[in-house]
Every structure is written in structure tokens, then in C-alpha cells.
């Protein structure tokens, strides 16, 4: 999904609960996922099967009045005391974890001469990818007029020479169209494989979500069985306690029925799985990548993510005398 925020929003859209334990001896509660919890899991090496120690260091500093203060400093990975990859079975492999860390870093701290920054809303295809061909700075994205036409601008001269003019300021409609044509032409030979791969990934993502709902049903079923055992084990003469346990059992049964209902509804809404015969038919027909790109179900965010699979940077240089813009599409070695 490209960013920790998108993962968090996906958890919310799917209605999935997240485990919360306030301390080691506290009972686990299932609550709505928070962004902080999602980010902590994605950045925790233990999640990828690694053992680590010494990520932080306590330091003593002097404040402005000369008093001693202690602080905890996070250390770079090269200074960790212990890091043992593949120490135990992880939920993801170490390579996937490393790729996730790189993507998270690029989202927040994009490097020079590299496309970066998390993909955001808006129709400008080159958000985070476009750079100025005159000064090398990353271009800003803007939207104008009633139809919110995209555009790109660089304030290089304002920052450096303080002349009050843009280094370049250009509309993005024709530029985005040219980039789209080049992108589709580059993928012409691989469009069949790309289409099937996208369909298979959609199926895998949906199945992963359904697995979480099936596990939720199992968890609620266990809670209902435990509540039943507690109710049946109580002395019938102790009516006050028995009534409380009976209410708890009834609440668990209602939660179980709701979880089963949600699971059945989501399984019924699951997209149809592509059979082998349909795959062969798609390969024979040759689906049109242009139609997929222009489909109403393809969002601007989807198009931006697709562009980043092939492009690392688009350099825009404006020739004012010729009323033309020159585009340089750069792709790093894979």
C-alpha cells in the first residue's frame, strides 16, 4: 500500500481489531487500530524474526542553566549492540522488512535525485517524481481553476536570488499525458503479465483480509466457550455471581453471531477468482493497458504507484523562447 498511513486506513476500512496490552500482565484487549500501533509493528525488527539489543543509549547533558539532565537517544543500526536476523520465525522475511524500511524512509525523507515522499491524493501524476531541469530542486504540485488542473512549479529563484519569480511554472495536463504515453509504450510488451499479476494480487489481498475475519471468529468463539465454562462451573445457589456470568455469556454469544455474520457478508462480496480457463482467455485476447489505465476504477493513487514501479525521476526543463518543455525520464538500475 506504499505507506504506514495507508495500512492504517486499510485496517479501519476493513473493520479489523488490533490487540492492545497495557503491560506484561494485563489481559489483551481488541480495539480499533491506531496509526502508532501500526507503525511500531512495521518498524519492529522482531516482527521480521530478528533479535536485537541496544537500540538506545542513555546520555547525560547540561541544560541552559548548567543542570544535569538525562535523555534516551535512539542509535542508528550500525551502532546497535546486537542484531541477529533470522533468530526466530518471523511474520515476514528479512528482505521484505528491509524493503519496508526503505519505503518508509523514502516517504518521510526522500533523497536527492530520487523519487520519494508518500503518494498523496490529487491528479498530478508526477507528485514526488518531478524535479527542475534548471536548478535540480524537487518541483511542487499545484491545482488551478474549477477543474483543478494539475501543474508543477519550482521556487528556486525565489529561494536563491530573491527575484520574486518562479524558476519554472508549468501546467501539468500535457506533461502528464506525455508521461502516460511513454509509460504505456514501455510496458507494451509486458502488459499481459502485468494485468494477470494485478488480478492475482487483488485476490491475495482479499484472501488475507478474510483470513483476519476468520481468526476474529475463532477468537470470539473461544471467548464464548470460556464464558460458558465459567457460568456452568459456578454454584447455582450463588445467584448474584451466576447472573453476572450469564450476562457475560450472552454478550459473547451475540458478539459471536455478529462476527459470523460479518464474515459471511464479506465472503459473499469476495471478487470472483480467475480460473485457469479465464487466464488462458485473457492471454489470448490481449487486454488493453490503456483501458485499464483510463478505467473509472483506477484511481490517481493507483496510477502514481504504477509510475513509481518504472520511474525514479522526471526532469522538466522549460525552453521559454520555443514555448516547449523537455522531459527526461530516468530509471535507476534494478
Amino acid at each position: 500500500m506504499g505507506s504506514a498511513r495507508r495500512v492504517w486506513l486499510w485496517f479501519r476500512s476493513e473493520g479489523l481489531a488490533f490487540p492492545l496490552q497495557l503491560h506484561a500482565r494485563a489481559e489483551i484487549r481488541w480495539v480499533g487500530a491506531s496509526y502508532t500501533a501500526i507503525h511500531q509493528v512495521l518498524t519492529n525488527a522482531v516482527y521480521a524474526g530478528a533479535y536485537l539489543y541496544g537500540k538506545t543509549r542513555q546520555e547525560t547533558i547540561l541544560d541552559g542553566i548548567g543542570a544535569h539532565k538525562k535523555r534516551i537517544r535512539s542509535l542508528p543500526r550500525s551502532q546497535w549492540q546486537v542484531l541477529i536476523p533470522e533468530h526466530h520465525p518471523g511474520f515476514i522475511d528479512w528482505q521484505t522488512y528491509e524493503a519496508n524500511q526503505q519505503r518508509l524512509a523514502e516517504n518521510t525523507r526522500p533523497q536527492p535525485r530520487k523519487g520519494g515522499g508518500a503518494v498523496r491524493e490529487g491528479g498530478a501524476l508526477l507528485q514526488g517524481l518531478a524535479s527542475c531541469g534548471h536548478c535540480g530542486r524537487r518541483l511542487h504540485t499545484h491545482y488551478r481553476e474549477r477543474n483543478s488542473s494539475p501543474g508543477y512549479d519550482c521556487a528556486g529563484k525565489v529561494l536563491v536570488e530573491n527575484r520574486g519569480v518562479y524558476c519554472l511554472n508549468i501546467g501539468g495536463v500535457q506533461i502528464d499525458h506525455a508521461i502516460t504515453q511513454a509509460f504505456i509504450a514501455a510496458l507494451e510488451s509486458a502488459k499481459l503479465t502485468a494485468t494477470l499479476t494485478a488480478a492475482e494480487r487483488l485476490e491475495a489481498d482479499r484472501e488475507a483480509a478474510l483470513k483476519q475475519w476468520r481468526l476474529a471468529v475463532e477468537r470470539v468463539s473461544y471467548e464464548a466457550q470460556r464464558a460458558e465454562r465459567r457460568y456452568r462451573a459456578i454454584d447455582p445457589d450463588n445467584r448474584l455471581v451466576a447472573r453476572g456470568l450469564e450476562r457475560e455469556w450472552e454478550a459473547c454469544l451475540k458478539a459471536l453471531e455478529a462476527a459470523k455474520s460479518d464474515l459471511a457478508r464479506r465472503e459473499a462480496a469476495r471478487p470472483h477468482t480467475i480460473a485457469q480457463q479465464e487466464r488462458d482467455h485473457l492471454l489470448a485476447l490481449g487486454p488493453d493497458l490503456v483501458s485499464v489505465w483510463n478505467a473509472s476504477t483506477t484511481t490517481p493513487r493507483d496510477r502514481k504507484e504504477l509510475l513509481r514501479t518504472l520511474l525514479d525521476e522526471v526532469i522538466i526543463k522549460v525552453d521559454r523562447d520555443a514555448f516547449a518543455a523537455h522531459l527526461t525520464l530516468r530509471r535507476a538500475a534494478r
Side-chain angles (χ1 to χ4, degrees):
M1 301 191 176
S3 68
R5 179 177 178 272
R6 294 297 301 175
V7 175
W8 170 57
L9 293 176
W10 179 82
F11 264 83
R12 292 185 57 186
S13 66
E14 294 293 331
L16 294 175
F18 207 76
L20 172 66
Q21 189 177 30
L22 297 179
H23 53 84
R25 296 184 179 180
E27 183 178 355
I28 293 178
R29 294 189 292 130
W30 293 86
V31 299
S34 66
Y35 172 83
T36 301
I38 295 294
H39 190 273
Q40 286 177 346
V41 170
L42 291 174
T43 55
N44 193 338
V46 177
Y47 180 70
Y51 173 81
L52 52 93
Y53 177 79
K55 291 178 58 178
T56 59
R57 181 171 62 200
Q58 188 178 64
E59 297 180 342
T60 302
I61 61 174
L62 296 177
D63 60 12
I65 60 175
H68 291 265
K69 285 191 174 183
K70 293 183 179 180
R71 67 178 183 183
I72 303 298
R73 177 187 174 192
S74 297
L75 301 175
R77 181 183 298 182
S78 59
Q79 298 182 20
W80 293 357
Q81 296 184 36
V82 180
L83 174 60
I84 307 175
E86 300 181 1
H87 173 267
H88 57 270
F91 292 94
I92 57 176
D93 57 65
W94 185 252
Q95 290 74 21
T96 303
Y97 170 78
E98 293 277 39
N100 288 346
Q101 304 319 298
Q102 181 178 357
R103 182 61 187 267
L104 289 171
E106 291 174 353
N107 288 345
T108 55
R109 300 180 298 277
Q111 300 297 317
R113 289 296 182 181
K114 288 186 178 181
V119 174
R120 301 191 302 271
E121 290 73 13
L125 291 180
L126 301 185
Q127 171 253 318
L129 292 178
S131 61
C132 179
H134 302 279
C135 68
R137 288 181 172 83
R138 192 173 305 281
L139 295 183
H140 299 270
T141 303
H142 61 259
Y143 298 92
R144 293 178 176 174
E145 302 176 359
R146 294 182 179 179
N147 58 356
S148 298
S149 298
Y152 305 100
D153 63 83
C154 174
K157 288 191 176 180
V158 175
L159 296 174
V160 178
E161 300 178 10
N162 198 26
R163 294 183 179 180
V165 296
Y166 286 104
C167 193
L168 69 84
N169 188 351
I170 190 170
V173 176
Q174 291 179 314
I175 290 179
D176 286 358
H177 178 72
I179 294 296
T180 299
Q181 297 301 314
F183 178 76
I184 292 176
L187 292 183
E188 187 69 22
S189 60
K191 64 181 181 180
L192 301 181
T193 304
T195 302
L196 288 178
T197 301
E200 291 170 353
R201 181 174 180 180
L202 177 61
E203 295 172 10
D205 290 345
R206 179 58 59 179
E207 187 60 31
L210 288 176
K211 179 181 179 182
Q212 298 301 318
W213 278 99
R214 295 188 186 105
L215 292 174
V217 171
E218 291 183 12
R219 172 174 53 82
V220 179
S221 177
Y222 168 76
E223 295 291 342
Q225 293 173 9
R226 187 175 68 168
E228 180 183 5
R229 290 194 301 269
R230 293 175 61 186
Y231 171 73
R232 297 189 183 280
I234 194 66
D235 186 352
D237 293 335
N238 194 347
R239 297 180 180 180
L240 182 61
V241 177
R243 283 197 297 268
L245 293 176
E246 184 179 12
R247 286 194 297 269
E248 181 182 347
W249 183 20
E250 291 177 352
C252 290
L253 290 176
K254 290 180 180 179
L256 179 59
E257 289 300 321
K260 288 181 176 179
S261 176
D262 285 339
L263 176 61
R265 176 174 55 83
R266 292 174 182 273
E267 286 182 334
R270 177 172 52 183
H272 174 63
T273 302
I274 299 177
Q276 185 61 42
Q277 183 179 359
E278 294 171 322
R279 296 174 188 272
D280 298 338
H281 184 61
L282 283 173
L283 290 173
L285 289 177
D288 188 0
L289 186 60
V290 178
S291 299
V292 176
W293 181 273
N294 295 323
S296 59
T297 54
T298 306
T299 65
R301 179 182 294 275
D302 295 332
R303 299 186 181 100
K304 294 177 186 179
E305 290 286 0
L306 286 171
L307 280 179
R308 294 186 181 212
T309 63
L310 190 64
L311 295 176
D312 281 346
E313 183 184 28
V314 176
I315 303 172
I316 302 177
K317 187 173 184 179
V318 175
D319 187 345
R320 292 185 174 86
D321 296 334
F323 297 97
H326 301 277
L327 308 179
T328 302
L329 281 61
R330 189 177 66 83
R331 180 190 183 194
R334 295 296 198 274

